[in-house]
Amino acid sequence: MLNFTIRRLNLLFFTLLMLSIVSFSLSYFFPGDALVNLSGEINADQQRTEQLVELYNMDKSVFHQYTAYIGQIFSGNFGISMSSQVPISDELHTFLPATIELCLAALFIALIFGVPLGFIAAIFHNKPLDKIILTFAMVGYSIPVFWFALILILLFSITLSWFPSSGQLNLLFEIEQVTGFKFIDILLSDSEYQAQALKDAFMHIVLPAIAVATAPMTIFIRLARTSMLDVLESNYIKAAKAKGLSQAHIIYHHGIRNSLVGIVRLIGLHFANLVTVAMIAEVIFNWQGAGSWLIESIFARDYTAIQGGLIALASFTFFINILADFLYAALNPLERHKKHGA
Amino acid sequence: MNLLDIKNLSIELTSHGENILAVDRVSLALKDGEIRGLVGESGSGKSILAQAIIGVLDDKWHVTADRFHWQGVDLLRLPLEERKQIITKDVAMIFQEPMSCLDPTNSIGEQIEEALDGSKFSGYFWQKAQQRKEAAAKLLHKVGIKQHDTCAKSYPHQLTNALCQRVMIAIALAKQPKLLIADEPTASMEATNQAQIFKLLESLNKLKNMSILLISHELEKISHWTDYLTVMYSGQFVEAGTTEQIFNTPFHPYTKALIASTPRASTNLIKKSLLHTLPGSIPSLQHLPIGCRLGPRCPNAQKKCVIAPQVESFQGHQVSCHFSHRKEY
Ligand code: SF4
């Protein structure tokens, strides 16, 4: 297990290293002055520029510049936004939690519906139910998220008015921002309308989360289905049948755990996909998250913000990946135990 | 009375709209307490037959039989669920590649315990759990594993193939079966381990009067342990009888060739002389000859062989061939 942990942490370290190098090199690849791109201070006077040169080691070699850049990032300084002149770290602190909230909610929905549906399809392999679920997965996978999001809004917020169409929380609730996670902030606040605020925040997240979750969910359906089919074909299921165990017992005790092992490993992989989908959905649902913020920054050619956003979102995705790997190891004894033989 | 009595069991495989007769009217009878070997090359349908008996084949395969009696009960008349219950209660099976037959994510202990009959334990659930644990440890002792604690806590990939097979036998013993089907139990094991597993099976047969159906492609290897032998070729019944009958007076051309092809210490072979074999190889399921499937390879084959021969019995020695070697002895 220690070995496994070290291997994962090693991987995390090197991916972050690569990521920081890419991000740093962007300041040279983007048009304009590298120092301005790094710091984001477009209107710096002579004196400030000298300070910045000092700070980022701009007068020294590229390697020194890079180490200075890393140092700045670790002390929480991502520079300031070129367009709004607000520190990027502040903006990230405002916007990133909202994205994390949305992504986790979507991942949760995708898993909680996708995996069991896939299992059901596998258990009723080649029966009508299997075909129905597969068709549903195919359709869900093919629908583009921007169109689906608009349809959801049209149906559920305009026609039926069950859910609000945009935003994260009704402005009536005055919730102080502490962590940036709306749900945690509400719980932390001492507002007398706490319960209503929670409900409202929940209503707001439903539609965007569904829109984001649909495509990954269909992937999970198919993953779970193939994984379960493989397991059900395996020798130990045959042996379990020969033991005289009931079908339900076999699926519950042997099928689910073994097929989950196969799926968990891939969750991390598909999470990157989910984050991309979330960025588009954020724009449509006017969700004040890092995704829509990043897209706006791209439009505004706010290079400093693009760099910061890149680092933040990518680290978040890596983090989830590593987490999925640990979950995988926890489920799979093959990863945990050494052979001790005869 | 026969423990198991099967007559003309056929198994059809449906794939891509085609029906292939993988096993063609094979009969098999087993008495209480006997060890019967079921021999055939790979592809002769012996594993499929065994899986059909215990009922773990999936829906691709269609099993039909003229008679399927278990301890005198006609299983064909019973509904599927009841049939399964009877069979899995009294028949256990161990497979080849034992490691792949154990769930990799469950510990050995859990897998043994779930095979135990829950109604045998009494008391509160924690007492039951304790009893289960003890019963599992006892089973591990029975198959010669002394460090039951370490073993029960292990996962299958931590054990060797031979140990996994012992665990499989322990699981099979949990139900105290009357018949144990062993499908190539020692494939890909070292010779010493093979002998140990066979000895274990033999002692279980002697001590518990448990019948064993031993499936193998190596006639020579299992003949030492078996009382009776049944030989199959390409899904068809070839010959059955006591081990002595088969070895000393093989009636069927196939069995004869099979025995002639196994070199023995007693026979004087000239250096570098060819071993006696039949020409050709076993036909694939897609290209089965009509009639007697040995036809194209058989030295005795004549026109009549395009019609599948009927099984004839001579003092318990059954053979299925139009031109057998019976008269030569
Ligand atoms: S029936 Fe004919 S082909 Fe078949 S084994 Fe006998 S002699 Fe050979």
Side-chain angles (χ1 to χ4, degrees), chain B residues 233 236 238 251-254 290-310 319-325:
Chain B
Y233 175 80
Q236 282 180 333
V238 166
F251 289 172
H252 198 280
Y254 178 70
I290 50 162
C292 176
R293 289 179 181 174
L294 188 63
R297 300 175 67 190
C298 181
N300 299 9
Q302 293 178 33
K303 231 183 195 167
K304 209 174 160 193
C305 299
V306 294
I307 301 159
Q310 295 292 321
V319 63
S320 153
C321 174
H322 292 305
F323 309 101
S324 74
H325 295 277

Short mmCIF file of all heavy atoms in Angstrom, two decimals, chain B residues 233 236 238 251-254 290-310 319-325, ligand 1:
data_model
loop_
_atom_site.label_atom_id
_atom_site.label_comp_id
_atom_site.label_asym_id
_atom_site.label_seq_id
_atom_site.Cartn_x
_atom_site.Cartn_y
_atom_site.Cartn_z
N TYR B 233 -15.13 -39.12 -27.86
CA TYR B 233 -14.37 -38.54 -28.97
C TYR B 233 -15.28 -37.56 -29.71
O TYR B 233 -16.37 -37.94 -30.15
CB TYR B 233 -13.88 -39.63 -29.92
CG TYR B 233 -13.20 -39.07 -31.15
CD1 TYR B 233 -11.88 -38.63 -31.08
CD2 TYR B 233 -13.89 -38.93 -32.35
CE1 TYR B 233 -11.25 -38.09 -32.19
CE2 TYR B 233 -13.27 -38.39 -33.47
CZ TYR B 233 -11.95 -37.97 -33.38
OH TYR B 233 -11.34 -37.42 -34.47
N GLN B 236 -18.92 -37.59 -29.08
CA GLN B 236 -19.65 -38.84 -29.13
C GLN B 236 -19.11 -39.84 -28.12
O GLN B 236 -17.93 -39.81 -27.78
CB GLN B 236 -19.55 -39.45 -30.54
CG GLN B 236 -20.48 -38.77 -31.52
CD GLN B 236 -20.38 -39.38 -32.89
OE1 GLN B 236 -19.34 -39.92 -33.27
NE2 GLN B 236 -21.45 -39.28 -33.65
N VAL B 238 -17.64 -43.21 -26.92
CA VAL B 238 -16.77 -44.17 -27.58
C VAL B 238 -16.85 -45.52 -26.88
O VAL B 238 -17.28 -46.52 -27.45
CB VAL B 238 -15.32 -43.66 -27.61
CG1 VAL B 238 -14.36 -44.77 -27.97
CG2 VAL B 238 -15.19 -42.53 -28.60
N PHE B 251 -12.07 -52.24 -27.11
CA PHE B 251 -12.87 -52.69 -28.26
C PHE B 251 -12.83 -51.68 -29.39
O PHE B 251 -12.87 -52.03 -30.54
CB PHE B 251 -14.33 -52.89 -27.85
CG PHE B 251 -14.55 -54.10 -26.97
CD1 PHE B 251 -15.79 -54.32 -26.37
CD2 PHE B 251 -13.53 -55.02 -26.76
CE1 PHE B 251 -16.01 -55.43 -25.59
CE2 PHE B 251 -13.74 -56.14 -25.96
CZ PHE B 251 -14.98 -56.33 -25.37
N HIS B 252 -12.81 -50.44 -29.02
CA HIS B 252 -13.02 -49.38 -30.01
C HIS B 252 -11.69 -49.01 -30.66
O HIS B 252 -10.68 -48.91 -29.98
CB HIS B 252 -13.61 -48.16 -29.30
CG HIS B 252 -14.26 -47.19 -30.22
ND1 HIS B 252 -13.54 -46.28 -30.93
CD2 HIS B 252 -15.56 -46.97 -30.54
CE1 HIS B 252 -14.37 -45.54 -31.65
NE2 HIS B 252 -15.62 -45.94 -31.42
N PRO B 253 -11.68 -48.80 -31.97
CA PRO B 253 -10.42 -48.43 -32.63
C PRO B 253 -9.77 -47.20 -32.01
O PRO B 253 -8.55 -47.11 -31.92
CB PRO B 253 -10.85 -48.14 -34.08
CG PRO B 253 -12.19 -48.68 -34.24
CD PRO B 253 -12.80 -48.92 -32.90
N TYR B 254 -10.59 -46.25 -31.57
CA TYR B 254 -10.03 -45.03 -31.00
C TYR B 254 -9.31 -45.31 -29.69
O TYR B 254 -8.17 -44.88 -29.48
CB TYR B 254 -11.14 -43.99 -30.80
CG TYR B 254 -10.67 -42.72 -30.16
CD1 TYR B 254 -9.85 -41.84 -30.86
CD2 TYR B 254 -11.02 -42.39 -28.85
CE1 TYR B 254 -9.39 -40.68 -30.29
CE2 TYR B 254 -10.56 -41.23 -28.26
CZ TYR B 254 -9.75 -40.37 -28.99
OH TYR B 254 -9.29 -39.23 -28.41
N ILE B 290 -20.38 -36.64 -40.67
CA ILE B 290 -21.65 -37.27 -40.29
C ILE B 290 -21.38 -38.70 -39.84
O ILE B 290 -20.32 -39.27 -40.11
CB ILE B 290 -22.68 -37.26 -41.46
CG1 ILE B 290 -22.03 -37.81 -42.72
CG2 ILE B 290 -23.26 -35.90 -41.67
CD1 ILE B 290 -23.04 -38.24 -43.75
N GLY B 291 -22.39 -39.25 -39.18
CA GLY B 291 -22.25 -40.62 -38.70
C GLY B 291 -21.23 -40.69 -37.58
O GLY B 291 -21.16 -39.82 -36.74
N CYS B 292 -20.41 -41.74 -37.61
CA CYS B 292 -19.38 -41.85 -36.59
C CYS B 292 -18.31 -40.80 -36.86
O CYS B 292 -17.76 -40.73 -37.95
CB CYS B 292 -18.75 -43.24 -36.64
SG CYS B 292 -17.39 -43.40 -35.49
N ARG B 293 -18.07 -39.97 -35.86
CA ARG B 293 -17.19 -38.82 -36.11
C ARG B 293 -15.72 -39.23 -36.22
O ARG B 293 -14.89 -38.44 -36.63
CB ARG B 293 -17.37 -37.78 -35.01
CG ARG B 293 -18.74 -37.10 -35.12
CD ARG B 293 -18.94 -36.09 -34.03
NE ARG B 293 -20.28 -35.50 -34.18
CZ ARG B 293 -20.80 -34.66 -33.31
NH1 ARG B 293 -20.12 -34.30 -32.23
NH2 ARG B 293 -22.00 -34.16 -33.50
N LEU B 294 -15.41 -40.45 -35.85
CA LEU B 294 -14.03 -40.89 -35.99
C LEU B 294 -13.75 -41.29 -37.44
O LEU B 294 -12.61 -41.39 -37.86
CB LEU B 294 -13.76 -42.08 -35.05
CG LEU B 294 -12.30 -42.53 -34.94
CD1 LEU B 294 -11.45 -41.43 -34.36
CD2 LEU B 294 -12.19 -43.79 -34.10
N GLY B 295 -14.84 -41.49 -38.22
CA GLY B 295 -14.78 -42.02 -39.58
C GLY B 295 -13.53 -41.67 -40.38
O GLY B 295 -12.76 -42.57 -40.74
N PRO B 296 -13.27 -40.39 -40.64
CA PRO B 296 -12.13 -40.03 -41.51
C PRO B 296 -10.78 -40.49 -40.97
O PRO B 296 -9.83 -40.58 -41.74
CB PRO B 296 -12.19 -38.51 -41.54
CG PRO B 296 -13.56 -38.14 -41.12
CD PRO B 296 -14.04 -39.23 -40.23
N ARG B 297 -10.69 -40.76 -39.67
CA ARG B 297 -9.39 -41.14 -39.12
C ARG B 297 -9.31 -42.62 -38.78
O ARG B 297 -8.27 -43.09 -38.33
CB ARG B 297 -9.13 -40.35 -37.82
CG ARG B 297 -9.12 -38.85 -38.00
CD ARG B 297 -8.98 -38.16 -36.66
NE ARG B 297 -7.69 -38.39 -36.04
CZ ARG B 297 -7.41 -38.05 -34.79
NH1 ARG B 297 -8.34 -37.48 -34.03
NH2 ARG B 297 -6.22 -38.27 -34.29
N CYS B 298 -10.43 -43.31 -38.95
CA CYS B 298 -10.51 -44.65 -38.38
C CYS B 298 -9.93 -45.70 -39.33
O CYS B 298 -10.25 -45.72 -40.52
CB CYS B 298 -11.97 -44.98 -38.09
SG CYS B 298 -12.18 -46.60 -37.38
N PRO B 299 -9.09 -46.58 -38.83
CA PRO B 299 -8.53 -47.64 -39.70
C PRO B 299 -9.57 -48.68 -40.10
O PRO B 299 -9.44 -49.33 -41.13
CB PRO B 299 -7.43 -48.25 -38.83
CG PRO B 299 -7.80 -47.93 -37.43
CD PRO B 299 -8.52 -46.62 -37.47
N ASN B 300 -10.62 -48.85 -39.29
CA ASN B 300 -11.62 -49.88 -39.57
C ASN B 300 -12.80 -49.37 -40.37
O ASN B 300 -13.73 -50.10 -40.65
CB ASN B 300 -12.20 -50.45 -38.26
CG ASN B 300 -11.14 -51.08 -37.41
OD1 ASN B 300 -9.95 -50.94 -37.71
ND2 ASN B 300 -11.54 -51.77 -36.36
N ALA B 301 -12.80 -48.07 -40.70
CA ALA B 301 -14.01 -47.46 -41.24
C ALA B 301 -14.45 -48.11 -42.54
O ALA B 301 -13.63 -48.47 -43.39
CB ALA B 301 -13.77 -45.97 -41.47
N GLN B 302 -15.78 -48.27 -42.67
CA GLN B 302 -16.37 -48.77 -43.91
C GLN B 302 -17.60 -47.94 -44.20
O GLN B 302 -17.94 -47.03 -43.46
CB GLN B 302 -16.71 -50.25 -43.77
CG GLN B 302 -15.44 -51.10 -43.64
CD GLN B 302 -15.76 -52.56 -43.46
OE1 GLN B 302 -16.74 -53.05 -44.00
NE2 GLN B 302 -14.92 -53.24 -42.70
N LYS B 303 -18.26 -48.28 -45.29
CA LYS B 303 -19.41 -47.51 -45.74
C LYS B 303 -20.44 -47.28 -44.64
O LYS B 303 -21.01 -46.20 -44.49
CB LYS B 303 -20.07 -48.24 -46.90
CG LYS B 303 -20.31 -47.35 -48.11
CD LYS B 303 -21.02 -48.14 -49.15
CE LYS B 303 -20.95 -47.42 -50.49
NZ LYS B 303 -21.37 -48.33 -51.57
N LYS B 304 -20.64 -48.32 -43.86
CA LYS B 304 -21.69 -48.30 -42.85
C LYS B 304 -21.49 -47.18 -41.82
O LYS B 304 -22.43 -46.75 -41.15
CB LYS B 304 -21.66 -49.65 -42.14
CG LYS B 304 -22.99 -50.11 -41.60
CD LYS B 304 -22.79 -51.52 -41.07
CE LYS B 304 -23.88 -51.88 -40.08
NZ LYS B 304 -23.50 -53.11 -39.38
N CYS B 305 -20.25 -46.72 -41.70
CA CYS B 305 -19.93 -45.80 -40.62
C CYS B 305 -20.52 -44.41 -40.81
O CYS B 305 -20.44 -43.58 -39.92
CB CYS B 305 -18.42 -45.68 -40.46
SG CYS B 305 -17.67 -47.26 -40.05
N VAL B 306 -21.10 -44.12 -41.98
CA VAL B 306 -21.75 -42.82 -42.12
C VAL B 306 -23.04 -42.78 -41.30
O VAL B 306 -23.65 -41.72 -41.15
CB VAL B 306 -22.07 -42.47 -43.59
CG1 VAL B 306 -20.79 -42.27 -44.36
CG2 VAL B 306 -22.94 -43.52 -44.21
N ILE B 307 -23.47 -43.95 -40.83
CA ILE B 307 -24.58 -43.98 -39.88
C ILE B 307 -23.96 -44.18 -38.50
O ILE B 307 -23.13 -45.07 -38.31
CB ILE B 307 -25.56 -45.13 -40.19
CG1 ILE B 307 -26.09 -44.93 -41.61
CG2 ILE B 307 -26.68 -45.17 -39.18
CD1 ILE B 307 -26.64 -46.20 -42.19
N ALA B 308 -24.34 -43.29 -37.56
CA ALA B 308 -23.73 -43.37 -36.23
C ALA B 308 -24.06 -44.71 -35.59
O ALA B 308 -25.21 -45.15 -35.61
CB ALA B 308 -24.24 -42.23 -35.37
N PRO B 309 -23.06 -45.40 -35.04
CA PRO B 309 -23.31 -46.72 -34.44
C PRO B 309 -24.09 -46.61 -33.13
O PRO B 309 -24.10 -45.56 -32.49
CB PRO B 309 -21.90 -47.24 -34.19
CG PRO B 309 -21.04 -46.03 -34.08
CD PRO B 309 -21.65 -45.01 -34.99
N GLN B 310 -24.75 -47.70 -32.76
CA GLN B 310 -25.47 -47.77 -31.49
C GLN B 310 -24.52 -48.33 -30.42
O GLN B 310 -23.57 -49.03 -30.74
CB GLN B 310 -26.68 -48.70 -31.60
CG GLN B 310 -27.76 -48.20 -32.56
CD GLN B 310 -28.45 -46.96 -32.04
OE1 GLN B 310 -28.70 -46.84 -30.86
NE2 GLN B 310 -28.72 -46.01 -32.95
N VAL B 319 -19.53 -50.34 -25.92
CA VAL B 319 -18.75 -49.78 -27.01
C VAL B 319 -19.71 -49.30 -28.08
O VAL B 319 -20.81 -49.83 -28.24
CB VAL B 319 -17.75 -50.81 -27.56
CG1 VAL B 319 -18.47 -52.01 -28.14
CG2 VAL B 319 -16.82 -50.18 -28.58
N SER B 320 -19.29 -48.27 -28.80
CA SER B 320 -20.13 -47.74 -29.85
C SER B 320 -19.33 -47.73 -31.15
O SER B 320 -18.63 -46.77 -31.46
CB SER B 320 -20.56 -46.32 -29.44
OG SER B 320 -20.82 -45.54 -30.55
N CYS B 321 -19.43 -48.87 -31.87
CA CYS B 321 -18.66 -48.99 -33.11
C CYS B 321 -19.25 -50.12 -33.95
O CYS B 321 -19.69 -51.14 -33.43
CB CYS B 321 -17.20 -49.29 -32.79
SG CYS B 321 -16.20 -49.62 -34.23
N HIS B 322 -19.30 -49.94 -35.27
CA HIS B 322 -19.81 -50.98 -36.16
C HIS B 322 -18.81 -52.12 -36.29
O HIS B 322 -19.17 -53.27 -36.44
CB HIS B 322 -20.09 -50.41 -37.55
CG HIS B 322 -21.23 -49.45 -37.57
ND1 HIS B 322 -22.48 -49.77 -37.12
CD2 HIS B 322 -21.28 -48.16 -37.98
CE1 HIS B 322 -23.28 -48.74 -37.26
NE2 HIS B 322 -22.57 -47.72 -37.78
N PHE B 323 -17.55 -51.78 -36.30
CA PHE B 323 -16.53 -52.82 -36.54
C PHE B 323 -15.52 -52.82 -35.40
O PHE B 323 -14.36 -52.45 -35.58
CB PHE B 323 -15.84 -52.56 -37.88
CG PHE B 323 -16.80 -52.37 -39.00
CD1 PHE B 323 -17.11 -51.09 -39.47
CD2 PHE B 323 -17.44 -53.46 -39.57
CE1 PHE B 323 -18.02 -50.92 -40.49
CE2 PHE B 323 -18.36 -53.28 -40.60
CZ PHE B 323 -18.65 -52.01 -41.06
N SER B 324 -15.95 -53.20 -34.23
CA SER B 324 -15.08 -53.10 -33.07
C SER B 324 -14.09 -54.26 -33.03
O SER B 324 -14.20 -55.22 -33.80
CB SER B 324 -15.90 -53.11 -31.79
OG SER B 324 -16.38 -54.40 -31.54
N HIS B 325 -13.14 -54.17 -32.13
CA HIS B 325 -12.11 -55.20 -32.02
C HIS B 325 -12.51 -56.29 -31.03
O HIS B 325 -11.68 -57.06 -30.59
CB HIS B 325 -10.80 -54.57 -31.52
CG HIS B 325 -10.22 -53.61 -32.50
ND1 HIS B 325 -9.44 -54.01 -33.55
CD2 HIS B 325 -10.30 -52.26 -32.61
CE1 HIS B 325 -9.05 -52.96 -34.25
NE2 HIS B 325 -9.57 -51.88 -33.70
S1 SF4 C 1 -18.07 -46.94 -36.34
FE1 SF4 C 1 -16.73 -47.13 -38.09
S2 SF4 C 1 -15.64 -45.23 -38.17
FE2 SF4 C 1 -16.56 -45.33 -36.17
S3 SF4 C 1 -15.00 -46.23 -34.94
FE3 SF4 C 1 -16.23 -47.90 -35.61
S4 SF4 C 1 -15.25 -48.60 -37.45
FE4 SF4 C 1 -14.40 -46.63 -37.02
#
